[in-house]
Structure formats: C-alpha cells, structure tokens
Amino acid sequence: MTIRTNTPTCSTTRHPNETKEYDVRTQKAELTALEDRQVLDRVSTTRIVGGVAVAYAASVIVQNAMFFGGVAQLLGLGDGTAAPTYGDPLGEVLAYHAANRGAVTVAAGLEALNMVLLLAFVTGLQGLVQRRGAAGADWSRLAVAAGATFSAIFALVLATHIAVVLAAEGLVEPNPAFELAWQLHAALFALALPALGATFIGAALATHASGLTRPWQRLLAVAGGSVLILAGTGNLAIADGSPLVFAGVTGLAAWLVWLVITGLRLIRGKG
C-alpha cells in the first residue's frame, strides 16, 4: 500500500498588481539616482567654472603686476622702473624695455595661460546657462564669440610687445622700426578693449538671466563693459599717447572684480 502525501509548493509567480508596483518602485529609484547624479554633476561643473574664473583673474593680476617696477625688481626681473605709458617719450620706452626684459617675458608667457583660461571660462559658462533652461543663451554666445576675439587680439598685443623688447636690444636711441612696433602695440591694445567689453557684458547678462549672479553685478558689467567699448573707439588717440587708455584700465579693473566675485559665488554653489 502506497501512501501519497501532498506537499505544498512555493510559487514565485507575482500577482500582476504586485509586478506593476515593483516596476514602478524600481523606475522611481532609478530616476531618483539619475537625478542625484545630474545634480552632483551640475554642482561639480559650476564649481569648476568658478575656479577657472578666479584662476583667470589671478593670472591677469599677476601679469599686470609685472609692469609695476617694485614688483618686478623684487622678483629680480627689472630695475624698479614702472612701465611707460603710450604718451611717454620714446627714449623712456626704450630704456624701460632694455632694462626690464624679464618682466615682459613673464607677462607674455602668462598670456598663453590667460587665453586658455578665458576660453574655458566662457565656454563653461555657456554650458551652465544651457543647463539652467537656456535663459540668457544669446548673451552667453556673445561672450564666447567676443572672448575668442579678445584672446586673438590680445595675443597680438603681447606679440608686438615682444617685438618691442627684441627691438630695444642693442639700441642706443629709438629708431623708426622701434617706434612703429610701439605704436602698433598701443593700437592693438586699444582695439582689444571693445572685445573685452563685449565679453564682460555678454557673460554678466547671461549669468544674471540664469540666476547665477546678483543684480548689482549686472550693473557693474554694463558700466565697466561700456567704458571699455567707448575707450576702444578712441584707438587712434590711444595709439598716439592719449590718457584715454586709463578709461580702459578702469574697465579692466571692473572685469577682474566681477570675475572674482562671480567665481567665488560659483565655487560656493550659489546662484
């Protein structure tokens, strides 16, 4: 006689409703994880762009410090003489460049770094603006185009400055070639000012429209950028030694202030 026993079997088959609920929970978890990664990526990119802005401002400040006689002398790069203005006599211009070749060499070398940092900043800024709903996208495109233009022109500014230093070597008094190189350097500097002004205004209006900066930073940019553009219209006068160049220097100072404040704000993840 055989006794049969019925052993209950465990079924792993889910009820259709349970399967749907499980799928929904899985999808929600995956979406949450994806959103968290996107937020972390966005914060990381924002901080990188902020760091680039601060690094660029610091590099430009160091570059300009080379033309202060005391700084160059302290570093063993010059004789303590401050850089001449475009209105100074050519004899003083020649004497400065003959004695301060080291200072100009460092300034020219830093320009290679400045070009990379500026282009990285405006390009990264455009990416931030697009990820925040593309508000101010047109302004960010202006900043990229103007920044590239400024980088190209300012490379020529430093190239002609290098030519001035090389021409000064061995000269006892200025000759026509030295004078031409100096005037060309001054003219290119004046023509670079409007490009910097457009970069300044475009970047500031893009960040303001995207909520990355405060309203007063937009006002600073519009004022400083406008000064740069207006100073650039007097390029012939600047090349001829006009003090109008100092208006451009004021606009440059405003640009550096904006860069530092904006960069620190982005590093902190604000905006």
Side-chain angles (χ1 to χ4, degrees):
M1 179 177 179
T2 303
I3 300 175
R4 296 182 180 178
T5 57
N6 295 325
T7 305
T9 59
C10 295
S11 175
T12 57
T13 304
R14 295 180 181 273
H15 190 278
N17 290 336
E18 293 180 351
T19 302
K20 291 180 180 179
E21 291 176 1
Y22 175 79
D23 292 341
V24 169
R25 288 196 301 269
T26 302
Q27 291 175 357
K28 286 183 177 179
E30 291 175 349
L31 287 174
T32 301
L34 178 61
E35 289 174 356
D36 290 342
R37 286 197 298 270
Q38 289 175 340
V39 169
L40 289 174
D41 290 342
R42 184 165 60 247
V43 171
S44 176
T45 302
T46 300
R47 288 175 176 169
I48 290 172
V49 173
V52 170
V54 173
Y56 172 58
S59 181
V60 173
I61 291 171
V62 172
Q63 182 186 48
N64 283 274
M66 292 298 102
F67 298 115
F68 289 90
V71 175
Q73 186 178 37
L74 181 64
L75 297 174
L77 299 172
D79 64 352
T81 305
T85 67
Y86 296 133
D88 287 341
L90 278 178
E92 294 181 14
V93 176
L94 175 61
Y96 170 83
H97 288 91
N100 293 271
R101 179 169 179 166
V104 179
T105 299
V106 173
L110 283 172
E111 186 55 30
L113 176 62
N114 291 347
M115 284 191 291
V116 175
L117 291 174
L118 175 58
L119 294 176
F121 171 66
V122 293
T123 303
L125 194 63
Q126 185 180 38
L128 290 181
V129 170
Q130 290 176 340
R131 280 191 287 272
R132 294 175 70 92
D138 290 338
W139 291 115
S140 69
R141 283 191 286 270
L142 170 64
V144 171
T149 303
F150 172 74
S151 294
I153 297 176
F154 216 75
L156 293 175
V157 172
L158 268 297
T160 52
H161 209 171
I162 292 171
V164 169
V165 172
L166 295 177
E169 188 174 0
L171 283 182
V172 177
E173 59 182 22
N175 59 20
F178 180 84
E179 181 179 5
L180 178 61
W182 180 242
Q183 289 177 336
L184 183 59
H185 167 67
L188 285 168
F189 180 84
L191 288 171
L193 298 178
L196 178 59
T199 305
F200 192 1
I201 292 174
L205 293 182
T207 52
H208 174 76
S210 301
L212 293 168
T213 52
R214 295 176 178 175
W216 69 266
Q217 291 176 256
R218 175 186 57 175
L219 297 177
L220 174 66
V222 171
S226 298
V227 167
L228 285 164
I229 293 171
L230 290 174
T233 61
N235 48 73
L236 178 59
I238 290 176
D240 196 35
S242 169
L244 183 62
V245 68
F246 293 108
V249 173
T250 302
L252 173 62
W255 165 240
L256 295 176
V257 169
W258 183 88
L259 276 174
V260 172
I261 294 172
T262 300
L264 293 175
R265 184 174 174 83
L266 295 177
I267 290 172
R268 293 195 299 266
K270 294 185 178 181

